Amino acid sequence: MLSIKDLKVNIEDKAILRGLNLDIKPGEIHAIMGPNGSGKSTLANVLAGREEYEVTDGSVTFEGEDLLDMDVDERAQKGVFLAFQYPVEIPGVSTATFLKSAVNAVREARGEEELKSIDMLKLLREKTAMVGMDQKFLQRSLNEGFSGGEKKRNEMLQMALLEPKLAVLDETDSGLDIDALKIVADVVNQMRDANRSFLIVTHYQRLLNYIVPDHVHVLVNGRIVKSGDKSLALKLEDQGYDWVKGEAALAE
Amino acid sequence: MSTATLQDRYAEVKDRFRSLFNVFEGALNGHRDQPMHTLRKAGIERLDVMDFPTRRDENWKYTSLNQMLRLPLQDSYQVEVDAATIDGLAIPGLDAARIVLVNGLLQTELSDLDKIPEGMELLPVDQALEDEAVKGQISEMLDAAVKNDHNPFSALNVAFAKNGFVLKVKAKAVVEKPVHIIHLAAPTGEPVFINPLLLVLTGAHSEGAVVETYDALPGADQAYFSNILTRVHVGVNAHFHHYRIQNDSAAATVVSNIEAHQQQDSTFSSYLVDLGGDVVRNNLSTILQGQNTMTNYYGVYLAKGKQHIDNQTFIDHALPHCGSNELYKGILDDRGRGVFNGKVIVRQDAQKTNAFQQNSSLVLSKTAEMDTKPQLEIFADDVRCSHGATIGQLDESSVFYLRSRGLSDLQARQLLQQAFLFDVVENMPLEAVKDYAEQLIEKKLK
Ligand SMILES: Nc1ncnc2c1ncn2[C@@H]1O[C@H](COP(=O)(O)OP(=O)(O)OP(=O)(O)O)[C@@H](O)[C@H]1O
Ligand SMILES: [Mg+2]
């Protein structure tokens, strides 16, 4: 599904990702953990196509195609989704209008017809219920004045509506209360299937109690320095990052 | 350019207006001794003492009307338009009496003259000038328009206006249905001079609205000059809304002088949407004649191609306990240009004034330009006033967010531009007019 090879990324001439390798197969859930500033969001944003990031080396292939060559919207239309760590607020654009445009844009790219209003309403009703969001949020401006948790829920709503093949969740669990956390896990678990993959960036083992990952990676200083199964997350929670950092330093 | 040449050039322009007036006057036979005629003559004679504005005048620094003034303007004449065309210009869902003016001339057949809503009355200006009940006020209003010392255009309107109207809202009448005046520019092959004139008189404790739309028929791509004069007198505790959605052809020059006078406890709200025109200049001002009034100015401008849209607003707070609220937003793209000059004076006696003003613009191309000048002059100490002006671009992280959900770059930018302008339009209380304005904006952004 996704294959990242020796990816090097700069921001304003500063090397942030320094040779990152990652392979995600259909149906797999990968978790990425790592200290603040190690490059997790950078990776997520590069996958989504943010332009400020300069890819200096390496490749990213998504379903056999060069992902880095695709426009931002093309990536979304082909099934890459990023749940942002900090979703932007867009005053004046109603959440409902935005969601409808997004659903139809992705449908159109897939050669499907625009949804009829009544079907769209049904879909919105179903998915807002799925993420535990009140319908009244749909009438509000996109993310404007939403609490941190409400913004994250809105990200999950978008994921549920767009049904991506690869969903990247950048700290969707941060700042969530326990009920909201369970909902995020629920949505992921409900959407989990043999053809859909997830890349979950998190600082906390807590989320991984509910979403059991197939692989856990540790990103330090722009590189994946350790990979393992779900037990690695437990060990990190227990012992922090120092021991992996130490191992990584030895390896260099 | 030397002064002499300018004077010569404007002398020539004035002479052209004078001879145009002579032709018009010649055709008036029989109406020459009517009171309107005296006012018309005073209007054209105003050119003897007033000059056309030049860019050396501070308030005309960015806007030149020279291109239009150089045209051999012709007086407008009847052009046939069918009912289907007019139906196409109606505002969907708006229950209103329609008055149709083509090139400034009333189309009686196409107008609902006999369906003016109860509580309102619509009179031709010349008739109103002979009506005992209103003639005093109307001739004062026209006289004041002639004496406008900022520009000669309102005087010219009085001189040339063909089918000017007086809209009366009776005292205590709360009229929900608005009157919709459809102004249509139809092709004539010549640059025509169109002078829409509307005088509004609202009685005490009344409520009403007028919606004016300006459109051009396809083919009306010759230059024309739409010289609008609107004066509104809002009575004690009366509330009046004036909507104007201007979607003229890209070859039009539009100048408007809109002035409101407000009695105590009254509200005047102006909604101006400027989408069309080549050069557009709006002078909007309010004079407060009583305490505890509220004045709302909402404006939208969207200039593409080489359109130029200039809004000058003025609110004179001379009395205490009055409020004003002004929100103008616009988008300048391609070589489009915008000007906003919003003047608010809060005089020494105007304690407890609440004055808010905001002008925000998006400048989307390197060759587009916006000049904004909020002028808040406060001489009273116990007041709440704020103003702000911003000029910026679309927020790229918002564009990215929308695109990351599959919207194309174009779609994302359109949606953000719409949102930016709808922020103003959503203040229109008439839902159908709001929807209509939004549709036109959406169409123009495509
Ligand atoms: N736009 C930017 N300009 C300059 N530096 C940036 C920019 N974006 C990120 N960085 C830097 O890149 C490094 C990696 O940032 P990134 O956001 O990827 O970290 P992260 O692993 O997601 O951290 P956190 O756990 O705090 O979210 C940091 O040092 C950050 O300051
Ligand atoms: Mg991060």
Side-chain angles (χ1 to χ4, degrees):
Chain A
M1 163 108 20
L2 184 77
S3 168
I4 303 175
K5 292 216 159 60
D6 196 31
L7 184 64
K8 293 183 182 163
V9 174
N10 285 3
I11 302 172
E12 291 166 359
D13 291 331
K14 184 173 142 209
I16 307 293
L17 296 184
R18 304 185 311 134
L20 187 142
N21 291 288
L22 183 66
D23 251 300
I24 301 181
K25 299 202 169 53
E28 288 183 346
I29 296 190
H30 290 237
I32 291 198
M33 306 180 82
N36 293 134
S38 56
K40 303 180 299 294
S41 292
T42 302
L43 172 63
N45 278 296
V46 167
L47 293 178
R50 188 157 212 137
E51 272 136 22
E52 297 94 293
Y53 299 84
E54 188 201 350
V55 177
T56 55
D57 207 355
S59 68
V60 180
T61 320
F62 175 68
E63 298 207 299
E65 284 187 84
D66 182 358
L67 184 74
L68 299 178
D69 196 37
M70 294 179 201
D71 282 338
V72 181
D73 38 317
E74 193 183 348
R75 297 179 197 207
Q77 290 161 4
K78 291 207 161 133
V80 178
F81 179 89
L82 168 60
F84 290 92
Q85 184 174 4
Y86 304 110
V88 296
E89 299 194 6
I90 310 188
V93 173
S94 95
T95 304
T97 306
F98 159 70
L99 294 174
K100 288 175 194 169
S101 311
V103 167
N104 279 330
V106 169
R107 288 180 66 89
E108 194 189 320
R110 290 190 198 139
E112 295 166 2
E113 266 177 46
E114 265 195 17
L115 269 192
K116 289 202 205 80
S117 316
I118 180 141
D119 296 328
M120 182 68 83
L121 282 177
K122 246 176 75 186
L123 182 71
L124 286 177
R125 208 173 303 134
E126 178 196 330
K127 303 294 184 186
T128 43
M130 179 174 169
V131 303
M133 208 163 115
D134 195 312
Q135 291 268 336
K136 69 173 193 276
F137 282 96
L138 299 180
Q139 305 316 319
R140 286 175 55 179
S141 284
L142 184 52
N143 291 329
E144 193 185 26
F146 286 27
S147 74
E150 289 161 354
K151 283 180 186 162
K152 298 294 176 73
R153 251 179 235 248
N154 196 11
E155 295 294 288
M156 289 300 95
L157 172 62
Q158 292 164 41
M159 179 175 80
L161 284 166
L162 299 180
E163 303 186 320
K165 291 178 184 154
L166 171 70
V168 182
L169 275 62
D170 190 3
E171 293 197 29
T172 301
D173 55 334
S174 297
L176 292 189
D177 62 37
I178 191 71
D179 292 336
L181 185 82
K182 280 186 192 155
I183 285 175
V184 169
D186 254 9
V187 175
V188 171
N189 287 329
Q190 278 184 59
M191 291 181 71
R192 187 172 195 170
D193 73 28
N195 300 310
R196 181 172 291 128
S197 311
F198 291 87
L199 178 60
I200 295 176
V201 175
T202 181
H203 283 294
Y204 308 105
Q205 144 67 22
R206 186 170 78 138
L207 178 68
L208 304 180
N209 285 334
Y210 301 102
I211 304 172
V212 181
D214 300 297
H215 301 275
V216 175
H217 311 277
V218 185
L219 185 63
V220 176
N221 212 354
R223 272 190 206 134
I224 288 178
V225 295
K226 188 141 196 92
S227 299
D229 61 12
K230 60 182 181 186
S231 63
L232 178 56
L234 282 168
K235 188 167 177 193
L236 289 168
E237 176 104 328
D238 209 32
Q239 302 180 12
Y241 290 113
D242 280 349
W243 65 277
V244 247
K245 281 185 189 162
E247 277 185 19
L250 279 180
E252 271 199 31
Chain B
M1 189 164 299
S2 77
T3 318
T5 350
L6 263 176
Q7 271 170 2
D8 290 350
R9 195 207 292 158
Y10 289 121
E12 210 181 295
V13 173
K14 286 178 177 183
D15 278 344
R16 261 192 278 120
F17 278 112
R18 286 184 189 112
S19 49
L20 200 59
F21 186 76
N22 289 340
V23 176
F24 171 46
E25 206 179 21
L28 275 177
N29 48 32
H31 296 276
R32 281 171 169 252
D33 35 338
Q34 285 186 351
M36 185 63 197
H37 193 65
T38 316
L39 285 157
R40 290 190 190 284
K41 283 215 322 238
I44 194 72
E45 279 161 12
R46 190 72 183 153
L47 290 186
D48 301 347
V49 293
M50 271 213 82
D51 279 323
F52 286 99
T54 74
R55 293 175 70 163
R56 288 181 306 179
D57 299 316
E58 184 57 27
N59 290 339
W60 291 83
K61 196 166 153 190
Y62 302 106
T63 301
S64 164
L65 298 173
N66 285 342
Q67 209 170 323
M68 177 274 298
L69 290 172
R70 248 179 252 133
L71 293 171
L73 289 173
Q74 301 297 308
D75 218 342
S76 50
Y77 50 84
Q78 285 291 348
V79 177
E80 286 284 317
V81 176
D82 58 20
T85 307
I86 299 305
D87 286 342
L89 297 169
I91 296 176
L94 182 72
D95 185 12
R98 286 178 351 204
I99 304 299
V100 179
L101 294 159
V102 176
N103 291 343
L105 302 175
L106 176 69
Q107 308 292 303
T108 314
E109 302 284 290
L110 301 172
S111 301
D112 303 329
L113 287 166
D114 50 350
K115 290 187 199 132
I116 301 302
E118 172 127 23
M120 281 189 180
E121 209 182 322
L122 193 73
L123 303 166
V125 168
D126 37 10
Q127 208 174 304
L129 281 169
E130 311 204 356
D131 180 323
E132 285 307 323
V134 292
K135 71 178 192 191
Q137 261 178 303
I138 297 302
S139 64
E140 259 174 50
M141 282 167 112
L142 290 168
D143 192 52
V146 166
K147 295 200 175 109
N148 173 346
D149 53 10
H150 298 287
N151 63 69
F153 296 106
S154 34
L156 281 176
N157 177 290
V158 174
F160 287 96
K162 295 291 180 329
N163 287 121
F165 278 104
V166 172
L167 179 69
K168 260 179 75 178
V169 187
K170 291 181 187 141
K172 297 202 179 96
V174 176
V175 188
E176 268 162 39
K177 260 200 204 186
V179 168
H180 177 194
I181 307 181
I182 296 177
H183 299 267
L184 181 62
T188 54
E190 285 159 319
V192 287
F193 186 26
I194 306 172
N195 291 279
L197 165 61
L198 178 67
L199 305 174
V200 179
L201 288 178
T202 80
H205 315 286
S206 71
E207 222 175 304
V210 66
V211 180
E212 298 193 79
T213 52
Y214 283 84
D215 291 278
L217 278 185
D221 45 10
Q222 82 283 353
Y224 58 91
F225 177 25
S226 177
N227 176 34
I228 304 167
L229 174 59
T230 311
R231 292 179 86 91
V232 182
H233 281 193
V234 191
V236 173
N237 190 35
H239 307 280
F240 193 77
H241 302 266
H242 179 243
Y243 297 78
R244 199 187 77 195
I245 299 173
Q246 184 271 115
N247 199 19
D248 269 295
S249 97
T253 297
V254 179
V255 171
S256 69
N257 283 290
I258 309 172
E259 188 171 304
H261 291 216
Q262 290 184 246
Q263 301 292 322
Q264 70 179 67
D265 305 322
S266 68
T267 309
F268 173 69
S269 302
S270 163
Y271 313 88
L272 290 183
V273 177
D274 280 297
L275 303 173
D278 174 32
V279 178
V280 178
R281 162 68 178 232
N282 299 317
N283 302 313
L284 171 62
S285 61
T286 298
I287 294 172
L288 305 177
Q289 298 172 313
Q291 300 191 14
N292 193 33
T293 58
M294 186 64 208
T295 308
N296 298 304
Y297 286 177
Y298 294 104
V300 168
Y301 44 95
L302 175 47
K304 287 181 157 187
K306 56 174 197 52
Q307 284 182 282
H308 179 113
I309 303 173
D310 177 349
N311 277 294
Q312 308 271 323
T313 68
F314 177 48
I315 300 172
D316 188 348
H317 284 281
L319 293 163
H321 299 286
C322 294
S324 62
N325 172 37
E326 185 169 8
L327 178 64
Y328 271 70
K329 286 175 99 171
I331 298 178
L332 301 311
D333 204 350
D334 306 327
R335 303 177 65 81
R337 216 169 153 180
V339 181
F340 176 80
N341 187 354
K343 190 167 176 173
V344 178
I345 298 183
V346 181
R347 297 187 192 271
Q348 204 166 2
D349 291 336
Q351 298 298 358
K352 307 281 180 196
T353 293
N354 250 316
F356 166 85
Q357 182 190 78
Q358 176 69 38
N359 173 230
S360 307
S361 306
L362 293 177
V363 177
L364 299 184
S365 87
K366 284 204 178 74
T367 46
E369 193 177 320
M370 179 70 205
D371 293 284
T372 179
K373 186 167 142 197
Q375 285 176 273
L376 199 55
E377 294 171 19
I378 304 172
F379 302 99
D381 45 26
D382 186 13
V383 298
R384 281 178 34 206
C385 299
S386 74
H387 67 105
T390 63
I391 299 174
Q393 278 102 42
L394 282 182
D395 174 35
E396 288 302 321
S397 52
S398 299
V399 175
F400 175 72
Y401 187 79
L402 297 175
R403 291 184 69 196
S404 79
R405 300 307 185 234
L407 277 70
S408 69
D409 189 56
L410 195 70
Q411 255 183 315
R413 286 175 197 282
Q414 276 167 7
L415 199 58
L416 293 171
Q417 290 176 50
Q418 273 172 30
F420 182 76
L421 299 180
F422 288 5
D423 183 34
V424 180
V425 176
E426 74 181 15
N427 291 291
M428 295 181 172
L430 284 172
E431 194 78 11
V433 182
K434 184 199 89 173
D435 291 346
Y436 181 70
E438 289 186 351
Q439 270 171 34
L440 291 185
I441 290 170
E442 209 175 318
K443 206 164 128 195
K444 182 153 184 197
L445 288 173
K446 285 249 153 80

